[in-house]
């Protein structure tokens, strides 16, 4: 998919950059992170999901492969069906390092289940473990 998107851009004479989007649910251990994830799923707003599905069904012109359909899939609508890393800090760091090896992927966009704590944990607990970020200075 990454190569196809950037390749089509080059064919059209455009520089198209590709970014991967991930939700991060991280904690000390994989088990604790999964417990958080289950808590988020248990607290889903069912009425909001019904509304989201209804909105996607109102779109009669796009196919089943569009992001509107994927986001509204009730199987995992709690995170709008985006890629989600539910792991320990160490495992998330390793997985994000792997993303850095994907040819044609120009970067990542991150979101967090608890945005403030997640952002702080990313900066203090995950990024320092990433081999691809070892050149970065961490401000304290």
């Amino acid at each position: 998919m990454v190569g196809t998107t950037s390749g089509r851009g080059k064919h059209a004479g455009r520089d198209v950059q590709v970014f991967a989007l991930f939700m991060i649910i991280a904690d000390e251990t994989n088990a604790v992170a999964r417990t958080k994830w289950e808590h988020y799923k248990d607290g889903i707003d069912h009425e909001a999901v019904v509304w989201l599905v209804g909105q996607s069904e109102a779109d009669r012109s796009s196919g089943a492969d569009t992001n509107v359909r994927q986001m509204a899939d009730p199987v995992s609508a709690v995170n709008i069906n985006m890629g989600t890393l539910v792991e320990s800090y160490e495992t998330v760091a390793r997985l994000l390092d792997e993303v850095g090896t994907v040819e044609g992927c120009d970067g990542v966009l991150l979101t967090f289940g608890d945005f403030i704590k997640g952002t702080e944990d990313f900066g203090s607990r995950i990024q320092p473990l990433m081999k691809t970020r070892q050149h970065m200075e961490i401000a304290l």
Side-chain angles (χ1 to χ4, degrees), residues 48-60 62 68-69 72:
V49 172
V50 168
W51 180 86
L52 183 64
V53 170
Q55 293 301 302
S56 74
E57 290 171 349
D59 178 2
R60 303 274 185 231
S62 60
V68 172
R69 303 273 190 263

Side-chain angles (χ1 to χ4, degrees), residues 27-72:
D27 213 304
E28 291 292 334
T29 67
N30 292 348
V32 175
R34 291 197 186 281
T35 298
K36 275 188 196 178
W37 175 238
E38 292 304 321
H39 175 73
Y40 295 152
K41 290 191 325 186
D42 290 345
I44 192 167
D45 182 339
H46 295 284
E47 188 175 318
V49 172
V50 168
W51 180 86
L52 183 64
V53 170
Q55 293 301 302
S56 74
E57 290 171 349
D59 178 2
R60 303 274 185 231
S61 61
S62 60
D65 63 342
T66 65
N67 66 341
V68 172
R69 303 273 190 263
Q70 294 163 356
M71 289 187 325

